[in-house]
Amino acid sequence: SAPRSSDPSSSAPRSYAPAPPVMINQDRPPSSPPRPLPASTPRQRNMQNAASASVGAVVTSLFVTPFEVLKVRQQACGSSGCGMVQLGQTLVRAEGATAFWAGLRPTLLMAVPSTVLYVGAYEHIRDAIQAAAARRRNGGGGALASLAPMLA
């Protein structure tokens, strides 16, 4: 091992001066802003809306179905007062962990199409309200445009 210094100041914690801030791209002029993405066609927007609505419905159903299964089992238990934790443990022991997602297929068959239709209709109605507000130059079209998401 290395010999220790007898200087008491060597064992004291060192204080370091804060580092100067790092300036990025000091030597170059600011670059031009990034190019905007090309405008999507209505068909592409509809496909994007359908895809995002589908993914949202699937994720939501995957998350909510176990709670729905427990709720239905608890209701079937009657007034004897089965606890959720106890019911979950019994369900896993008797039927396995996949029993939490019993009924997922019918849920998805219902949730995905309805969510796709809902999101598609919402986007269409919102765009129609905003277009109507844009055509109305006089008489408060701006207020209508700002209310479009709520009205749709």
Side-chain angles (χ1 to χ4, degrees), residues 23-116:
M23 303 301 277
I24 300 172
N25 297 331
Q26 283 182 357
D27 55 338
R28 295 187 325 193
S31 62
S32 62
R35 291 184 301 139
L37 294 174
S40 59
T41 65
R43 181 177 170 88
Q44 288 172 329
R45 281 193 305 274
N46 289 341
M47 295 303 288
Q48 290 169 348
N49 289 338
S52 63
S54 298
V55 170
V58 168
V59 169
T60 301
S61 296
L62 285 171
F63 182 74
V64 170
T65 300
F67 296 107
E68 289 291 323
V69 167
L70 285 175
K71 180 188 77 165
V72 169
R73 300 281 176 109
Q74 191 175 33
Q75 288 171 343
C77 193
S79 61
S80 63
C82 299
M84 288 293 244
V85 174
Q86 178 188 4
L87 195 59
Q89 291 170 345
T90 305
L91 186 65
V92 169
R93 279 191 223 113
E95 301 176 39
T98 57
F100 282 109
W101 288 273
L104 182 62
R105 282 187 194 146
T107 301
L108 290 175
L109 286 173
M110 224 173 29
V112 172
S114 66
T115 306
V116 168

Side-chain angles (χ1 to χ4, degrees), residues 122 125-130 133 136 140-152:
Y122 170 80
I125 292 169
R126 186 200 62 199
D127 292 346
I129 292 172
Q130 287 177 336
R136 266 181 85 177
L144 184 61
S146 64
L147 293 175
M150 212 175 357
L151 293 174

